[in-house]
Amino acid sequence: MPNNKIERINEDIQRVLSTLIRNMKDPRIKQGMISITSVDTTGDLRIAKVYISVFDIKSEKEFLKGLKSAAGYLRRELGQALNLRYTPELQFEMDNSMERGARINTLLANLDIPEENDGEDSHDDDH
């Protein structure tokens, strides 16, 4: 379980990277609705795994290529923004949980389940 310092750094990385990625001009990265779902930084602050979810992505492979080519820039900007002693190397992973969640919601919405009678329509015993 990460300690408070690591948790704070993870949150800071997530916040700064969200802004940086949103403002990038690379068309490989400008796909759909991008969200950084979480960041996992190693205890020695050498590596940060960044989990990204993109809703309505056109090409996951191209998106990851774009992020990989921008990793140096993102790391440099992150280092300037957070002023850490050591800026972690960024590793990007796709997180498809938003897409899975939307699919599950669609499936649930399309189920044909009759509503239960909660007893309000039952006959009164006061007569």
Side-chain angles (χ1 to χ4, degrees), residues 49-66:
K49 275 194 178 176
V50 181
Y51 296 92
I52 297 184
S53 179
V54 183
F55 192 71
D56 203 24
I57 191 168
K58 291 160 189 65
S59 171
E60 186 174 308
K61 188 175 180 182
E62 285 301 308
F63 179 76
L64 287 172
K65 273 188 190 176

mmCIF file of all heavy atoms in Angstrom, residues 49-66:
data_model
loop_
_atom_site.group_PDB
_atom_site.id
_atom_site.type_symbol
_atom_site.label_atom_id
_atom_site.label_comp_id
_atom_site.label_asym_id
_atom_site.label_seq_id
_atom_site.Cartn_x
_atom_site.Cartn_y
_atom_site.Cartn_z
ATOM 1 N N LYS A 49 3.629 4.432 -13.662
ATOM 2 C CA LYS A 49 2.715 3.834 -14.630
ATOM 3 C C LYS A 49 1.474 4.704 -14.662
ATOM 4 O O LYS A 49 0.834 4.938 -13.640
ATOM 5 C CB LYS A 49 2.333 2.407 -14.227
ATOM 6 C CG LYS A 49 3.317 1.379 -14.673
ATOM 7 C CD LYS A 49 2.717 0.002 -14.560
ATOM 8 C CE LYS A 49 3.721 -1.010 -15.077
ATOM 9 N NZ LYS A 49 3.258 -2.361 -14.918
ATOM 10 N N VAL A 50 1.157 5.184 -15.858
ATOM 11 C CA VAL A 50 0.029 6.088 -16.049
ATOM 12 C C VAL A 50 -1.057 5.323 -16.795
ATOM 13 O O VAL A 50 -0.840 4.869 -17.912
ATOM 14 C CB VAL A 50 0.461 7.340 -16.848
ATOM 15 C CG1 VAL A 50 -0.703 8.292 -17.023
ATOM 16 C CG2 VAL A 50 1.638 8.026 -16.170
ATOM 17 N N TYR A 51 -2.206 5.166 -16.155
ATOM 18 C CA TYR A 51 -3.324 4.436 -16.751
ATOM 19 C C TYR A 51 -4.272 5.440 -17.397
ATOM 20 O O TYR A 51 -4.786 6.334 -16.733
ATOM 21 C CB TYR A 51 -4.039 3.602 -15.695
ATOM 22 C CG TYR A 51 -3.144 2.522 -15.131
ATOM 23 C CD1 TYR A 51 -2.380 2.748 -13.990
ATOM 24 C CD2 TYR A 51 -3.044 1.290 -15.760
ATOM 25 C CE1 TYR A 51 -1.545 1.766 -13.488
ATOM 26 C CE2 TYR A 51 -2.219 0.297 -15.269
ATOM 27 C CZ TYR A 51 -1.466 0.540 -14.130
ATOM 28 O OH TYR A 51 -0.628 -0.434 -13.648
ATOM 29 N N ILE A 52 -4.462 5.260 -18.706
ATOM 30 C CA ILE A 52 -5.254 6.215 -19.480
ATOM 31 C C ILE A 52 -6.446 5.514 -20.109
ATOM 32 O O ILE A 52 -6.331 4.419 -20.640
ATOM 33 C CB ILE A 52 -4.393 6.863 -20.580
ATOM 34 C CG1 ILE A 52 -3.265 7.643 -19.926
ATOM 35 C CG2 ILE A 52 -5.225 7.761 -21.469
ATOM 36 C CD1 ILE A 52 -2.405 8.388 -20.894
ATOM 37 N N SER A 53 -7.575 6.181 -20.026
ATOM 38 C CA SER A 53 -8.785 5.688 -20.658
ATOM 39 C C SER A 53 -9.189 6.702 -21.729
ATOM 40 O O SER A 53 -9.178 7.902 -21.485
ATOM 41 C CB SER A 53 -9.885 5.555 -19.614
ATOM 42 O OG SER A 53 -11.060 5.105 -20.215
ATOM 43 N N VAL A 54 -9.497 6.183 -22.914
ATOM 44 C CA VAL A 54 -9.939 7.056 -23.997
ATOM 45 C C VAL A 54 -11.274 6.526 -24.491
ATOM 46 O O VAL A 54 -11.365 5.416 -24.993
ATOM 47 C CB VAL A 54 -8.925 7.102 -25.159
ATOM 48 C CG1 VAL A 54 -9.391 8.085 -26.221
ATOM 49 C CG2 VAL A 54 -7.538 7.475 -24.656
ATOM 50 N N PHE A 55 -12.297 7.329 -24.315
ATOM 51 C CA PHE A 55 -13.620 6.939 -24.778
ATOM 52 C C PHE A 55 -13.748 7.343 -26.239
ATOM 53 O O PHE A 55 -13.410 8.454 -26.616
ATOM 54 C CB PHE A 55 -14.694 7.633 -23.927
ATOM 55 C CG PHE A 55 -16.062 7.080 -24.144
ATOM 56 C CD1 PHE A 55 -16.392 5.815 -23.680
ATOM 57 C CD2 PHE A 55 -17.019 7.805 -24.812
ATOM 58 C CE1 PHE A 55 -17.650 5.302 -23.874
ATOM 59 C CE2 PHE A 55 -18.279 7.305 -25.012
ATOM 60 C CZ PHE A 55 -18.601 6.039 -24.545
ATOM 61 N N ASP A 56 -14.214 6.435 -27.061
ATOM 62 C CA ASP A 56 -14.390 6.666 -28.495
ATOM 63 C C ASP A 56 -13.049 6.817 -29.214
ATOM 64 O O ASP A 56 -12.873 7.686 -30.053
ATOM 65 C CB ASP A 56 -15.278 7.899 -28.726
ATOM 66 C CG ASP A 56 -15.945 7.869 -30.091
ATOM 67 O OD1 ASP A 56 -16.105 6.765 -30.642
ATOM 68 O OD2 ASP A 56 -16.299 8.951 -30.586
ATOM 69 N N ILE A 57 -12.090 5.941 -28.864
ATOM 70 C CA ILE A 57 -10.754 5.974 -29.476
ATOM 71 C C ILE A 57 -10.833 5.399 -30.892
ATOM 72 O O ILE A 57 -11.570 4.461 -31.154
ATOM 73 C CB ILE A 57 -9.736 5.206 -28.603
ATOM 74 C CG1 ILE A 57 -8.311 5.463 -29.075
ATOM 75 C CG2 ILE A 57 -10.037 3.720 -28.585
ATOM 76 C CD1 ILE A 57 -7.255 4.979 -28.097
ATOM 77 N N LYS A 58 -10.065 5.992 -31.794
ATOM 78 C CA LYS A 58 -10.037 5.515 -33.174
ATOM 79 C C LYS A 58 -8.978 4.437 -33.361
ATOM 80 O O LYS A 58 -9.235 3.408 -33.961
ATOM 81 C CB LYS A 58 -9.796 6.687 -34.124
ATOM 82 C CG LYS A 58 -10.973 7.653 -34.186
ATOM 83 C CD LYS A 58 -10.537 9.011 -34.713
ATOM 84 C CE LYS A 58 -11.610 10.060 -34.582
ATOM 85 N NZ LYS A 58 -11.982 10.392 -33.231
ATOM 86 N N SER A 59 -7.765 4.661 -32.831
ATOM 87 C CA SER A 59 -6.681 3.691 -32.953
ATOM 88 C C SER A 59 -5.841 3.691 -31.685
ATOM 89 O O SER A 59 -5.058 4.609 -31.446
ATOM 90 C CB SER A 59 -5.798 4.016 -34.159
ATOM 91 O OG SER A 59 -4.643 3.199 -34.144
ATOM 92 N N GLU A 60 -6.023 2.641 -30.870
ATOM 93 C CA GLU A 60 -5.275 2.532 -29.610
ATOM 94 C C GLU A 60 -3.777 2.458 -29.881
ATOM 95 O O GLU A 60 -2.978 3.069 -29.170
ATOM 96 C CB GLU A 60 -5.744 1.275 -28.868
ATOM 97 C CG GLU A 60 -5.156 1.134 -27.497
ATOM 98 C CD GLU A 60 -5.748 -0.044 -26.735
ATOM 99 O OE1 GLU A 60 -6.984 -0.139 -26.646
ATOM 100 O OE2 GLU A 60 -4.951 -0.857 -26.246
ATOM 101 N N LYS A 61 -3.392 1.751 -30.930
ATOM 102 C CA LYS A 61 -1.972 1.582 -31.269
ATOM 103 C C LYS A 61 -1.337 2.936 -31.604
ATOM 104 O O LYS A 61 -0.255 3.259 -31.108
ATOM 105 C CB LYS A 61 -1.852 0.620 -32.452
ATOM 106 C CG LYS A 61 -0.456 0.211 -32.791
ATOM 107 C CD LYS A 61 -0.468 -0.825 -33.901
ATOM 108 C CE LYS A 61 0.942 -1.259 -34.250
ATOM 109 N NZ LYS A 61 0.956 -2.229 -35.342
ATOM 110 N N GLU A 62 -2.008 3.737 -32.427
ATOM 111 C CA GLU A 62 -1.496 5.052 -32.796
ATOM 112 C C GLU A 62 -1.465 5.989 -31.584
ATOM 113 O O GLU A 62 -0.551 6.788 -31.429
ATOM 114 C CB GLU A 62 -2.331 5.672 -33.919
ATOM 115 C CG GLU A 62 -2.080 5.061 -35.272
ATOM 116 C CD GLU A 62 -0.630 5.181 -35.721
ATOM 117 O OE1 GLU A 62 -0.080 6.306 -35.710
ATOM 118 O OE2 GLU A 62 -0.048 4.139 -36.082
ATOM 119 N N PHE A 63 -2.479 5.891 -30.736
ATOM 120 C CA PHE A 63 -2.544 6.710 -29.534
ATOM 121 C C PHE A 63 -1.331 6.434 -28.640
ATOM 122 O O PHE A 63 -0.657 7.358 -28.187
ATOM 123 C CB PHE A 63 -3.845 6.424 -28.775
ATOM 124 C CG PHE A 63 -3.997 7.210 -27.509
ATOM 125 C CD1 PHE A 63 -4.337 8.555 -27.547
ATOM 126 C CD2 PHE A 63 -3.783 6.624 -26.276
ATOM 127 C CE1 PHE A 63 -4.478 9.291 -26.381
ATOM 128 C CE2 PHE A 63 -3.915 7.343 -25.109
ATOM 129 C CZ PHE A 63 -4.263 8.683 -25.157
ATOM 130 N N LEU A 64 -1.039 5.146 -28.414
ATOM 131 C CA LEU A 64 0.100 4.779 -27.574
ATOM 132 C C LEU A 64 1.427 5.192 -28.217
ATOM 133 O O LEU A 64 2.351 5.603 -27.515
ATOM 134 C CB LEU A 64 0.084 3.281 -27.268
ATOM 135 C CG LEU A 64 -0.996 2.853 -26.269
ATOM 136 C CD1 LEU A 64 -1.072 1.336 -26.172
ATOM 137 C CD2 LEU A 64 -0.735 3.456 -24.901
ATOM 138 N N LYS A 65 1.525 5.103 -29.547
ATOM 139 C CA LYS A 65 2.733 5.561 -30.248
ATOM 140 C C LYS A 65 2.938 7.057 -30.011
ATOM 141 O O LYS A 65 4.057 7.514 -29.768
ATOM 142 C CB LYS A 65 2.624 5.307 -31.756
ATOM 143 C CG LYS A 65 3.077 3.966 -32.209
ATOM 144 C CD LYS A 65 3.079 3.960 -33.749
ATOM 145 C CE LYS A 65 3.298 2.581 -34.295
ATOM 146 N NZ LYS A 65 3.202 2.570 -35.770
ATOM 147 N N GLY A 66 1.864 7.814 -30.116
ATOM 148 C CA GLY A 66 1.926 9.256 -29.890
ATOM 149 C C GLY A 66 2.378 9.588 -28.476
ATOM 150 O O GLY A 66 3.211 10.472 -28.274
#
